[in-house]
Every structure is written in C-alpha cells, then in structure tokens.
Amino acid sequence: MAGRSRTIILALTAIVLLVVAGGLYAWSPEKPPAVLAGAVTIGGPFKLTTQDGKPLSDADLKGKPFAVFFGFTHCPEVCPTTLWEMTEALKTLGPDADRLKVLFISVDPTRDTPEFLARYLQSFDKRIVGLTGTEAEIDAVGKSYRAYWEKIPLDGGDYTMNHTASIFLMDAKGQFAGTISYGEAMDMRLGKLRKLIAGGAVS
Ligand code: NI
C-alpha cells in the first residue's frame, strides 16, 4: 500500500517537473524553441513594410543571407544594445557586410510606424532594414520564426514588451542557419556572420 502511494507520488512529481521544465525552456529568450526540435522549421514567407514605406517580402531576399531580430523602438535595453552591436559588427565586416541583409522587425506595430522606425534607425548602421506591418502580418512572421513577445502594462496606461532576444540567422535559401544570443561575445558574432556570408553552416 505504502509502496504504491510512493510510486504514484514519484510519478506525479516527475510529471510536474517535466511540465515546469518544458515551460521554462519554451519561454527562455536565449533559446528559441526550434533549436531543440530539429523537425521544426524556422522562418517562412512574409510581406512587410520597410521604414521607407516600401514593401519587402522573403522573395526579395532570395540569394542573400540575412539576420533577423524582433523588437520595438521603445525598448529600454535589449533592442538598442543589439542594434548597436550589429552596427559594430557590420562596420568590422567591411565590404563583406554588403552580402548580408539585417532586418529589425517591430513587434509593436501600433507605435512603430515606418516614419517612427526611420527616425529611430538613424542612430544605427544605415543598412539595417526596419520592418513593420499590420498586427496580423507581424503575428504571422513572428509565429513562423517561433519568436514570442508579450505586452507588459506600465503605470499610467503605458506599456513595454518582453520579447525573444536572439538574432535568427538565415542562409541564402531562406533556411534557418543558427542564432546569435543576446550578450554573445563580438568575436563569436563575427565568426557566425562570416560563416553565414560564406554560405557555410553556422553553429
Ligand atoms: Ni527590445
């Protein structure tokens, strides 16, 4: 009797631990869920609007590797840091950087109009393309990249956002090639970007 109860308790504990661990993993901004599931694809077709008000789709990127990052212009730290580090990386890569596209997709399209994105991105490398769209367009592209974000209400009716902090690296065929984590050392970033540009595997 006692032995059976203990088995049941152990089984229940194992289930709870699995659920908790699964939840933590799924919500960790450093580890996009798709990295652990080889069968899951990352990326896909999209159609968005650049900071110049022009349409840009995945088809326009065919033949060129790209790095894509989800964020928002009101972000206090992660986005400006990432954009600044990408600006530094592009400068260091020199002419090779022209063989790469860098995309910054807003997860806050209500506030991030093309005009607002254009003004914000003036502080960073001019080759970084800001993208926004309707809420449905942003939801669709976010889902295809397995990116997450959520609105966090602030006092006074304002809000901020939590969001995936990794940069997704996509090869010239538009296939997922790896990620750069938030806070990753610059030499690691440069190594991954150089491999991506050269067309090799990034890891
Ligand atoms: Ni951010």
Side-chain angles (χ1 to χ4, degrees):
M1 190 64 188
R4 202 172 142 205
S5 310
R6 201 164 54 212
T7 308
I8 290 169
I9 288 165
L10 280 175
L12 285 174
T13 308
I15 289 166
V16 168
L17 283 176
L18 277 173
V19 168
V20 169
L24 285 177
Y25 208 85
W27 284 91
S28 164
E30 308 304 337
K31 293 170 189 161
V35 173
L36 52 114
V40 177
T41 55
I42 290 208
F46 64 83
K47 202 179 160 195
L48 297 166
T49 304
T50 69
Q51 76 265 44
D52 301 320
K54 291 181 186 135
L56 186 92
S57 75
D58 58 296
D60 299 318
L61 299 170
K62 279 270 156 67
K64 209 169 200 182
F66 61 98
V68 57
F69 170 66
F70 292 83
F72 67 116
T73 64
H74 287 68
C75 183
E77 195 182 336
V78 172
C79 295
T81 304
T82 302
L83 289 165
W84 183 81
E85 283 177 337
M86 195 48 100
T87 295
E88 286 297 299
L90 290 174
K91 205 201 289 175
T92 309
L93 288 170
D96 278 351
D98 294 332
R99 294 162 58 198
L100 176 79
K101 276 266 183 208
V102 179
L103 312 177
F104 173 64
I105 300 181
S106 172
V107 294
D108 187 14
T110 314
R111 294 189 292 199
D112 290 341
T113 59
E115 297 74 25
F116 207 95
L117 274 175
R119 214 171 321 139
Y120 180 72
L121 289 172
Q122 275 173 9
S123 307
F124 305 101
D125 191 290
K126 299 287 171 287
R127 289 167 291 194
I128 299 174
V129 178
L131 292 167
T132 187
T134 64
E135 212 152 297
E137 286 167 339
I138 298 295
D139 280 350
V141 68
K143 213 170 270 176
S144 79
Y145 278 87
R146 306 293 192 272
Y148 91 89
W149 59 89
E150 60 177 334
K151 227 179 232 194
I152 310 291
L154 297 173
D155 290 342
D158 208 357
Y159 64 91
T160 187
M161 322 266 301
N162 276 348
H163 62 88
T164 297
S166 299
I167 300 169
F168 298 90
L169 303 175
M170 310 297 289
D171 69 15
K173 289 183 201 146
Q175 311 250 303
F176 176 70
T179 59
I180 292 174
S181 301
Y182 183 60
E184 199 163 316
M186 186 54 86
D187 57 340
M188 295 275 288
R189 288 168 187 263
L190 288 169
K192 287 179 177 181
L193 292 173
R194 287 195 178 106
K195 276 187 196 166
L196 188 70
I197 291 167
V202 178
S203 60

